Amino acid sequence: MKKSVFFGAMTVASLAAGVAAAGTLDDVKARGKLNCGVTTGLVGFAAPDANGEWQGFDVGVCRAIAAAVLGDPKAVEFVPTTGKTRFTALASGEIDVLARNTTWTFSRDVDLKFEFAGVNYYDGQGFMVPKALGVSSAKELDGATVCIQTGTTTELNLADFFRTNNISYEPVPIETNAEAQPLYLEGACDVYTTDASGLAATRAAFENPGDHVVLPEIISKEPLGPLVRHGDNEWGDVVRWTLNALIAAEEVGITSANIAELGAAAGNNPEINRILGTEGTLGEMLGLSADWAKNAIMAGGNYAEIFEKNIGENTPIGLSRGLNAQWTDGGLLYVPPFR
Amino acid sequence: MTTLSDPPKGGFRVSMLINDTRYRSYTFQFIALIALIAAFAYLGSNLIANLKAAGLNISYRFLGEPAGYDINQRLIEYTSQSTHMRAAVVGMLNTLLVAVVACFFATVIGVIVGVLRLSNNWLVNKLMGVYVEIFRNVPVLIWILIIMAVFVAVLPQPREFRGDDATASMVFGSFAFTGRGFYFPKPVFGPGSLFVVLTFAASLVGIWGYRRYAKQQLFDHGRMVSTLWPSIGLFFVPVIAMFFIMGQPITLDYPALKGFNFQGGIYARNSFIALTFALSIYTAAFIAENVRAGILAISTGQTEAAASLGLRPGRIMNLVILPQALRVIIPPLISQYLNITKNSSLAIAVGYMDVTGTLGGITLNQTGRAIETVLLLMAFYLVISLSISAVMNVYNNSVKLKER
Ligand SMILES: N[C@@H](CCC(=O)N[C@@H](CS)C(=O)NCC(=O)O)C(=O)O
């Protein structure tokens, strides 16, 4: 037993090295499918619908990448990952890209050797409690039992928050969001804490969302975004600029309604022309076809469309754009120019 | 007269390494050993080369850095500012706690079930059979999850103890059974309690000495000295007397509902109870079968012989059957204890923070040091398992058939 694990560890290590060196872009093209790591199920971000098709905000990123690289938004193999398994899955090459509410942190970038392609949701950690508890601030949570997902930034922030505020708590570690829900609803935990977006999504799935409140404190910065392995810059560029294309499309006004018309021939807005490949050779520089960004945007619409469809104000999750508005609207979304 | 001719001496030739049966097996074993070492060396250097290529290096420096996360069940002082090393030790102690408690209960339940399964009472016999088959044939992970789910769903949560319209209440005002775990009164040792504890220890030694004396009397003079009542007396009277002499230095700290949770007393978490309970009843099913096999291995002639000497059934079991059956029972029991220890690593399924949860879970995940932590984990489980084997082998040697 001891030996076999050791051999296993060594083979994994040697495989990992093998994978990192190869070009992921070529691998994906040769495979004809993108392996995309997502959550095990968080409605609004990534969850299979009634027909077994994956839907959600993070799923939208996966589909856009598949469309940009392979021309087909359906050519995606979704790999559910937990907070604990996600990094191993990416490092070992089981997935090509991880789009799973993952916070961009120094140590994940530098020490775990991943490359964040950007931010698709600016978030922060919040707390949810049953209304019946009568709690109005996180500072009143002294002695509470708190459900947290292990392997996340959440558990580290939580430890810091309670320590600096000199209050105590009882952590209940759990693996997935699905496991946390019954524990929280049955009262085995007083509080559930995770990214505020995740709280909104979890709350929306409850039978009586009105019985639960999200406390006003946001205790951390959680820039969530897709990530790839260190050391494969070509693939990193593809993922980064696909995400940028979705955001830029909103900024310059490309939508799924007008994209067919705008992409048919070069118009008089040069940036739109360059994004949609009717002018310049941006696609070629990435090693993709000229209409890569057009395909990506057509997969599910621009950033705003993906947002509104999955987590926006007209969905049960009901998130407002807030920090995730374009810089022109007072938000943080600001993509470098396409030229 | 016969001359014994010595086998031809001297003249060792290299070809004998292959042709001579006396050397041949050594030759091949040696070659195999070299090949094995070479294979390991190759894999090892391959690992190091690949790790280097991936920009990773084996380093245990992270063990000295602050862990940054909290652990709910701590047998030693620990905060989120403590090191990863300390978090690992907290996890190891939690593993050992579950293993020891589960081994104890598994043995007790297993022996009882195993003996009852041989009962002549049809109902008892069949019930025990059903128990063994149900628990032995469903994976232990499923048992852990089922027990935890039932635990959380069935027992009242602290909020149900709260307020004027509380639907749940404490038992005898001192025990609380909640979905988050059980709360018991905790003894608090005041000044002077040392004498009480020492008196108790002395009583235990006294009981042991008395029983030895009684046995001696039986063996040397054939006299039966009653042991039950003197033992009970020795157990209770001196301690209780000392307790009052010292002015009741030991008091109880009762759990009470304060804020979100019960505070005070001893808190056994739901994850600990579910895990221990599941491991105990699962492994007990196997131990019961070992016990049954051990008893059946003793020929019925022994029972009949003992009965014809006039021994009562209980004594036949205790004095004749079990001591011999132990020889058969102990070796498989060792592997059941090892199983419990290793199966306790399923703890994370219910969020119990054993060493796989702390070192192999959160530490691994937050530092990304997979190879280092997994190697440490392997070393830990190996040491524990070998220690259990060693201790149990000593015990096995002491009960095994003494050939005279
Ligand atoms: N952003 C944090 C937390 C990410 C996280 O675990 N989020 C939860 C809730 S927002 C989730 O996605 N759960 C889905 C699942 O359980 O698979 C991190 O990267 O460590």
Side-chain angles (χ1 to χ4, degrees):
Chain A
M1 144 76 199
K2 177 178 179 279
K3 273 183 200 149
S4 63
V5 168
F6 194 63
F7 278 125
M10 288 195 275
T11 9
V12 168
S14 39
L15 278 181
V19 166
T24 312
L25 180 56
D26 295 333
D27 284 352
V28 174
K29 282 184 184 162
R31 202 188 305 129
K33 235 180 171 68
L34 174 78
N35 292 334
C36 198
V38 289
T39 69
T40 53
L42 182 64
V43 175
F45 284 87
D49 65 11
N51 306 321
E53 272 203 54
W54 284 84
Q55 301 287 354
F57 187 65
D58 280 339
V59 167
V61 174
C62 296
R63 293 212 189 278
I65 299 169
V69 177
L70 303 164
D72 176 8
K74 292 233 162 353
V76 189
E77 178 80 32
F78 290 98
V79 180
T81 58
T82 68
K84 275 177 73 177
T85 61
R86 55 184 159 173
F87 297 126
T88 329
L90 182 59
S92 68
E94 187 190 343
I95 53 180
D96 304 310
V97 56
L98 178 67
R100 188 206 172 277
N101 310 67
T102 298
T103 307
W104 186 349
T105 70
F106 183 97
S107 62
R108 287 173 179 175
D109 193 333
V110 178
D111 194 34
L112 297 189
K113 309 239 180 288
F114 295 122
E115 187 166 322
F116 284 81
V119 175
N120 69 340
Y121 194 93
Y122 288 93
D123 209 346
Q125 181 176 340
F127 297 92
M128 176 166 62
V129 293
K131 229 181 210 154
L133 274 184
V135 174
S136 59
S137 154
K139 304 242 168 79
E140 295 166 21
L141 291 176
D142 193 12
T145 301
V146 184
C147 272
I148 34 166
Q149 270 182 262
T150 61
T152 59
T153 50
T154 314
E155 65 190 346
L156 304 181
N157 297 332
L158 188 69
D160 286 347
F161 176 79
F162 277 83
R163 190 171 49 83
T164 48
N165 284 294
N166 240 326
I167 48 180
S168 68
Y169 71 107
E170 159 92 13
V172 176
I174 32 122
E175 279 250 29
T176 67
N177 209 44
E179 279 170 45
Q181 278 187 32
L183 284 181
Y184 171 75
L185 287 176
E186 273 155 18
C189 321
D190 299 306
V191 190
Y192 184 42
T193 179
T194 184
D195 301 337
S197 64
L199 284 183
T202 309
R203 183 167 167 268
F206 288 169
E207 225 168 285
N208 299 311
D211 293 350
H212 303 270
V213 286
V214 175
L215 299 179
E217 282 93 346
I218 294 292
I219 65 167
S220 68
K221 290 189 289 183
E222 308 283 335
L224 312 178
L227 57 154
V228 298
R229 284 178 293 277
H230 244 337
D232 187 349
N233 296 353
E234 286 73 26
W235 178 242
D237 288 343
V238 168
V239 176
R240 172 173 307 110
W241 285 97
T242 306
L243 177 61
N244 285 348
L246 298 180
I247 300 173
E250 183 193 1
E251 189 182 353
V252 299
I254 307 172
T255 66
S256 22
N258 65 16
I259 191 166
E261 185 194 328
L262 290 174
N268 51 14
N269 182 331
E271 178 127 26
I272 292 182
N273 294 346
R274 282 193 296 271
I275 293 174
L276 296 181
T278 49
E279 193 184 308
T281 55
L282 296 188
E284 197 185 312
M285 294 177 201
L286 272 179
L288 300 175
S289 63
D291 58 356
W292 65 281
K294 185 175 157 203
N295 291 337
I297 298 162
M298 272 161 62
N302 63 27
Y303 182 89
E305 290 173 89
I306 299 177
F307 193 105
E308 294 310 333
K309 169 161 181 267
N310 294 299
I311 54 177
E313 271 168 335
N314 296 324
T315 66
I317 297 168
L319 292 171
S320 62
R321 287 292 289 271
L323 290 177
N324 297 291
Q326 295 286 339
W327 63 286
T328 45
D329 302 332
L332 294 177
L333 297 186
Y334 182 102
V335 294
F338 275 72
R339 63 166 67 253
Chain B
M1 202 185 91
T2 45
T3 28
L4 283 175
S5 63
D6 284 341
K9 261 227 191 98
F12 173 82
R13 280 160 287 112
V14 178
S15 64
M16 280 164 72
L17 285 177
I18 296 290
N19 297 332
D20 192 319
T21 47
R22 281 173 301 166
Y23 301 119
R24 187 156 53 203
S25 64
Y26 291 108
T27 315
F28 285 129
Q29 285 181 39
F30 186 70
I31 294 173
L33 183 67
I34 297 285
L36 194 66
I37 292 175
F40 264 100
Y42 169 72
L43 287 173
S45 69
N46 189 34
L47 170 73
I48 291 170
N50 278 319
L51 284 177
K52 203 169 258 163
L56 300 169
N57 58 326
I58 302 260
S59 155
Y60 279 98
R61 226 177 303 151
F62 70 94
L63 283 177
E65 250 116 70
Y69 59 90
D70 283 301
I71 302 176
N72 46 20
Q73 179 177 306
R74 312 170 285 262
L75 298 180
I76 54 172
E77 184 75 24
Y78 171 88
T79 68
S80 61
Q81 291 303 95
S82 308
T83 61
H84 280 293
M85 184 67 212
R86 202 161 177 89
V89 173
V90 171
M92 289 174 192
L93 292 176
N94 287 346
T95 296
L96 292 178
L97 181 69
V98 169
V100 169
V101 176
C103 283
F104 173 78
F105 283 111
T107 313
V108 173
I109 302 173
V111 170
I112 294 175
V113 172
V115 171
L116 287 185
R117 200 167 173 199
L118 293 169
S119 156
N120 291 327
N121 182 323
W122 184 87
L123 185 65
V124 171
N125 179 326
K126 286 289 173 277
L127 275 180
M128 295 304 140
V130 168
Y131 167 84
V132 168
E133 294 310 334
I134 288 185
F135 283 93
R136 205 169 53 153
N137 292 311
V138 175
V140 65
L141 177 60
I142 311 276
W143 282 119
I144 297 175
L145 292 174
I146 291 177
I147 291 171
M148 183 69 171
V150 170
F151 203 111
V152 171
V154 169
L155 287 173
Q157 300 296 345
R159 65 181 177 208
E160 284 158 52
F161 289 78
R162 204 174 294 138
D164 298 330
D165 52 351
T167 53
S169 59
M170 293 174 76
V171 180
F172 304 130
S174 40
F175 298 88
F177 299 103
T178 77
R180 290 181 189 171
F182 297 163
Y183 297 81
F184 309 102
K186 181 165 84 180
V188 180
F189 296 91
S193 54
L194 182 67
F195 289 99
V196 181
V197 174
L198 285 180
T199 310
F200 185 64
S203 301
L204 291 183
V205 175
I207 292 173
W208 176 76
Y210 180 75
R211 296 189 85 111
R212 232 174 99 108
Y213 161 79
K215 209 170 182 181
Q216 201 98 48
Q217 289 291 314
L218 179 66
F219 285 7
D220 293 356
H221 308 293
R223 221 179 305 142
M224 275 281 244
V225 189
S226 157
T227 52
L228 181 66
W229 286 109
S231 300
I232 294 178
L234 270 176
F235 191 85
F236 287 109
V237 177
V239 186
I240 295 177
M242 197 53 150
F243 178 70
F244 285 105
I245 291 171
M246 295 309 295
Q248 313 191 7
I250 303 178
T251 50
L252 287 177
D253 171 25
Y254 293 99
L257 190 59
K258 283 205 198 86
F260 293 97
N261 278 308
F262 282 90
Q263 309 283 346
I266 297 175
Y267 176 26
R269 282 176 183 72
N270 51 9
S271 54
F272 171 75
I273 294 172
L275 183 67
T276 315
F277 188 50
L279 287 175
S280 304
I281 55 173
Y282 173 79
T283 317
F286 290 88
I287 294 180
E289 286 297 272
N290 295 340
V291 170
R292 186 170 74 113
I295 293 174
L296 288 178
I298 309 303
S299 80
T300 43
Q302 300 251 357
T303 317
E304 284 159 7
S308 67
L309 287 177
L311 287 182
R312 279 178 273 126
R315 297 206 157 219
I316 296 178
M317 186 53 87
N318 283 335
L319 295 174
V320 179
I321 309 292
L322 274 184
Q324 300 188 74
L326 277 182
R327 294 188 339 247
V328 185
I329 296 173
I330 301 283
L333 194 61
I334 301 179
S335 45
Q336 292 310 332
Y337 286 175
L338 297 181
N339 278 345
I340 287 188
T341 312
K342 289 181 289 181
N343 285 344
S344 71
S345 60
L346 295 170
I348 190 60
V350 286
Y352 181 75
M353 290 313 251
D354 72 334
V355 67
T356 318
T358 60
L359 176 68
I362 305 183
T363 293
L364 187 160
N365 217 265
Q366 301 290 5
T367 62
R369 298 270 162 206
I371 295 178
E372 291 90 334
T373 50
V374 170
L375 282 176
L376 266 187
L377 270 188
M378 272 164 31
F380 170 74
Y381 281 108
L382 195 67
V383 167
I384 296 302
S385 296
L386 290 179
S387 314
I388 294 177
S389 295
V391 171
M392 291 301 285
N393 277 329
V394 170
Y395 182 59
N396 191 27
N397 284 336
S398 74
V399 298
K400 98 173 162 206
L401 191 59
K402 311 267 188 319
E403 312 245 4
R404 275 184 261 258

